Amino acid sequence: MDLARTEVTPARRPSGNAARLGLMALPVAFFGIFFAYPVAAIVSRGLHVDGQWRFGRLLDVLGQAGIRHVLWFTTWQALASTALTLLLALPGAYVFARLDFPGKQVLRAVVTVPFVLPTVVVGTAFLALVGRGGLLDDLWGVRLDTTVWAILLAHVFFNYAVVVRTVGGLWSQLDPRQEEAARMLGASRARAWRTVTLPALGPAVAAAALMVFLFTFTSFGVVQILGGPAFSTLEVEIYRQTSEIFDLSTAAVLTIVQFAAVGAILAVHAWTVRRRETALRLVDAKLTARRPRGAGQWALLGGVLASIALLLVLPPAVLVQRSLDAPDLAYYRALTSEEGNVFLVPPIEAIGNSLEYAAAATALALLIGGLAAAALTRRDAGRLVRGFDALLMLPLGVSAVTVGFGFLIALDEPPLDLRGTWILVPLAQALVGVPFVVRTMLPVLRAVDGRLREAAAVLGASPWRVWREVDLPMVRRALLVAAGFAFAVSLGEFGATVFIARPDNPTLPVAVARLLGRAGELNYGQAMALSTILMLVCAVALLVLERLLPQSRTGSTGGTPIDRTGEF
């Protein structure tokens, strides 16, 4: 009897921890070589001078009046951008959460499109709206591109969806009967909202605010285009010190400062996420939305629609109009010419380059992110795995300029001399795409019943076959969504690519920035045309994703990454 039982028992498989460590191996190696190593090289370049560690160099740089001004402006504009975004987007969060009206799903997609637009497109769109020769300048002689307001409004445009979909997603699932019970006990509408709803929403609002602050604190493309010489964030100053002044030591010190600031922000964000994990009474989002009732709700809906039209729809519309301003599509036709352009090739080739780079980056992000998500599937992870999870999120908060700068100074010697190869750009873009892949696939993988995997393993299936037969059919849609997000993010990546893209192989964002940096109406028009093309490609990618996502928030894909404040 014992012998028979021994013969039919499957071979012993590696433990869960061993399998998880095996899945983590490639992602850890990828992040170690292409993220940790370049960052360490930056630290060494900034503090290791003439063969000695000079930590006083940090104080020397921070003691400069110009650098202190940059630090102050970086922090101040991020706080102002966050406050303005919350002020304008929280009413939109309520409208999407509690009101039901025709065209709501289409409007939700319109609100989300700006989040995936490249920063150079956002900057160019607002330049067409508020800059020299822009719409406001033509109509009323008003220019805002020389003021901080252009930067703040562009940041609101970019982050509006973060607040609406983060806070609104939770708001739509809060049981409205709790607030109604407070009203029945005599509380006014304002007091019921303040004492019942607001405490429940507080962690979500805090998490959204921290995300907006993080994105605006590390803002590069928007400030680079709209700020001019008067305004400079840490990101812009790092780029200026590197590419214009060639002071790599100062740039490295500023990178260290930003890295420390981002780490502190992410730690606070993780704390707010843990607060959100407390028990809340949630219901199906479809049961909480109703038609507007009363003049107040109709007025609120009208105000939100007007703000969306002015803040989110008008800038891209003006961008498209400016790209068509010349007769016979002259700006678009000029993209095919080699005469007088700033590159070694016609600007139109940037489109093909961007698509090829984005496709390669997406493949890398799916491979690395898929393995990482599989390793993080079990919730009973130890400190090592939780640390691995935090490592995956760092590229979202760490300066893209830092990544590009790190590639320049670290990957220049054998066996990692990659500066002359095409793969360098997709590698940098994949670093940003991996977190989107992980956070899209992880909720779906965790929703798969573990007993299905165990049953397949008991029947003799290998780990690869278990994945192919059990997990893959359930996560196929999430995989497509993750690929779409990684592709859109890679297509518009600018901060790192501007350092490492070769002049004969520019990407669309780099081409736009270079054209805007040269005088002349033709260069300006070509920048508008390329920005329009890039915007349309990204918008189409997002709309396809919205079609793939289920209508219910409890659907198979778990929502987009910005629907889950615990993730981003």
Side-chain angles (χ1 to χ4, degrees):
M1 181 66 70
D2 290 339
L3 178 60
R5 186 159 46 244
T6 302
E7 291 175 349
V8 299
T9 300
R12 187 172 182 180
R13 300 186 179 280
S15 67
N17 287 334
R20 183 186 289 120
L21 291 175
L23 292 171
M24 289 169 53
L26 184 59
V28 167
F30 178 80
F31 274 81
I33 295 173
F34 299 112
F35 181 73
Y37 174 52
V39 170
I42 290 173
V43 173
S44 176
R45 181 65 61 94
L47 301 180
H48 195 257
V49 183
D50 297 331
Q52 296 181 351
W53 288 98
R54 297 186 178 179
F55 295 97
R57 176 63 179 158
L58 185 63
L59 298 178
D60 292 340
V61 172
L62 296 181
Q64 300 174 20
I67 298 300
R68 289 200 305 270
H69 175 74
V70 169
L71 291 172
W72 163 247
F73 177 75
T74 301
T75 306
W76 177 86
Q77 64 83 24
L79 289 171
S81 297
T82 301
L84 189 59
T85 303
L86 290 175
L87 178 66
L88 296 175
L90 283 176
Y94 173 81
V95 165
F96 280 101
R98 294 302 198 197
L99 302 184
D100 188 20
F101 51 91
K104 182 177 178 179
Q105 293 302 322
V106 174
L107 193 64
R108 184 185 296 274
V110 169
V111 166
T112 309
V113 164
F115 180 74
V116 298
L117 288 183
T119 55
V120 292
V121 171
V122 177
T124 307
F126 274 83
L127 197 63
L129 179 63
V130 303
R132 178 179 57 84
L135 180 64
L136 295 185
D137 192 14
D138 289 346
L139 293 179
W140 299 297
V142 175
R143 288 182 57 188
L144 298 179
D145 59 324
T146 56
T147 71
V148 73
W149 281 106
I151 296 173
L152 299 183
L153 291 175
H155 284 163
V156 173
F157 172 92
F158 196 71
N159 294 290
Y160 189 95
V162 175
V163 177
V164 167
R165 300 196 71 155
T166 296
V167 180
L170 177 62
W171 208 336
S172 66
Q173 293 181 287
L174 292 181
D175 192 343
R177 291 175 295 183
Q178 297 177 354
E179 190 173 323
E180 293 170 1
R183 294 288 308 280
M184 292 180 63
L185 293 174
S188 64
R189 184 181 298 274
R191 184 178 181 185
W193 184 84
R194 187 177 66 252
T195 58
V196 177
T197 305
L198 183 59
L201 290 177
V205 174
L210 281 168
M211 282 190 288
V212 175
F213 182 84
L214 181 61
F215 292 147
T216 53
F217 186 85
T218 58
S219 180
F220 175 62
V222 167
V223 181
Q224 176 77 356
I225 292 173
L226 297 175
F231 304 108
S232 180
T233 57
L234 269 174
E235 288 273 273
V236 175
E237 187 64 20
I238 291 170
Y239 176 74
R240 191 175 73 89
Q241 293 284 343
T242 304
S243 61
E244 297 178 12
I245 303 178
F246 304 108
D247 187 348
L248 300 186
S249 177
T250 297
V253 170
L254 294 179
T255 297
I256 295 169
V257 172
Q258 179 162 311
F259 190 80
V262 167
I265 296 169
L266 289 176
V268 176
H269 183 267
W271 177 72
T272 62
V273 168
R274 286 194 295 270
R275 286 187 62 201
R276 282 199 65 208
E277 292 174 352
T278 57
L280 288 174
R281 185 175 181 182
L282 303 179
V283 297
D284 190 339
K286 293 182 179 180
L287 303 178
T288 63
R290 60 185 65 178
R291 301 283 291 183
R293 294 180 298 180
Q297 288 191 346
W298 280 108
L300 178 62
L301 176 59
V304 168
L305 294 177
S307 66
I308 290 175
L310 292 175
L311 285 172
L312 306 185
V313 177
L314 183 59
V318 173
L319 173 63
V320 174
Q321 185 271 327
R322 291 301 186 201
S323 74
L324 301 172
D325 222 9
D328 301 324
L329 301 176
Y331 295 147
Y332 288 90
R333 288 190 292 106
L335 296 177
T336 62
S337 174
E338 296 185 16
E339 297 181 3
N341 67 66
V342 298
F343 306 105
L344 302 178
V345 295
I348 195 69
E349 292 194 12
I351 300 175
N353 295 336
S354 289
L355 293 175
E356 292 175 2
Y357 286 144
T362 300
L364 283 171
L366 287 177
L367 173 62
I368 302 300
L371 290 173
L376 295 169
T377 298
R378 291 183 58 182
R379 295 179 180 272
D380 56 342
R383 291 183 178 179
L384 177 63
V385 177
R386 288 198 296 269
F388 173 63
D389 191 11
L391 171 66
L392 297 175
M393 295 301 103
L394 278 179
L396 282 182
V398 173
S399 158
V401 170
T402 297
V403 174
F405 179 33
F407 274 30
L408 276 184
I409 66 175
L411 304 180
D412 62 341
E413 296 180 358
L416 291 174
D417 187 3
L418 302 177
R419 290 196 299 181
T421 64
W422 67 272
I423 193 63
L424 202 59
V425 173
L427 285 172
Q429 295 173 346
L431 279 173
V432 184
V434 166
F436 285 87
V437 173
V438 173
R439 285 312 184 241
T440 302
M441 296 186 63
L442 188 56
V444 188
L445 288 171
R446 283 178 171 170
V448 176
D449 192 340
R451 291 173 296 183
L452 296 176
R453 299 188 183 100
E454 294 172 0
V458 168
L459 292 174
S462 65
W464 166 246
R465 188 174 181 184
V466 170
W467 160 259
R468 189 178 71 247
E469 300 292 342
V470 177
D471 293 88
L472 184 59
M474 297 186 180
V475 303
R476 185 178 290 113
R477 175 175 286 184
L479 192 65
L480 293 175
V481 172
F485 270 108
F487 183 81
V489 170
S490 301
L491 195 65
E493 204 288 318
F494 175 58
T497 308
V498 71
F499 277 93
I500 55 182
R502 293 162 50 183
D504 57 340
N505 285 290
T507 63
L508 276 170
V510 172
V512 170
R514 297 278 169 80
L515 287 168
L516 287 175
R518 289 176 58 99
E521 182 180 349
L522 182 60
N523 288 322
Y524 181 84
Q526 289 182 87
M528 296 292 164
L530 281 179
S531 295
T532 300
I533 294 171
L534 182 54
M535 177 181 66
L536 292 177
V537 173
C538 291
V540 168
L542 180 68
L543 293 176
V544 170
L545 294 182
E546 289 286 334
R547 299 280 297 181
L548 290 173
L549 293 176
Q551 298 299 317
S552 170
R553 291 181 58 81
T554 59
S556 62
T557 67
T560 63
I562 57 174
D563 286 331
R564 300 186 297 275
T565 60
E567 308 299 354
F568 285 172

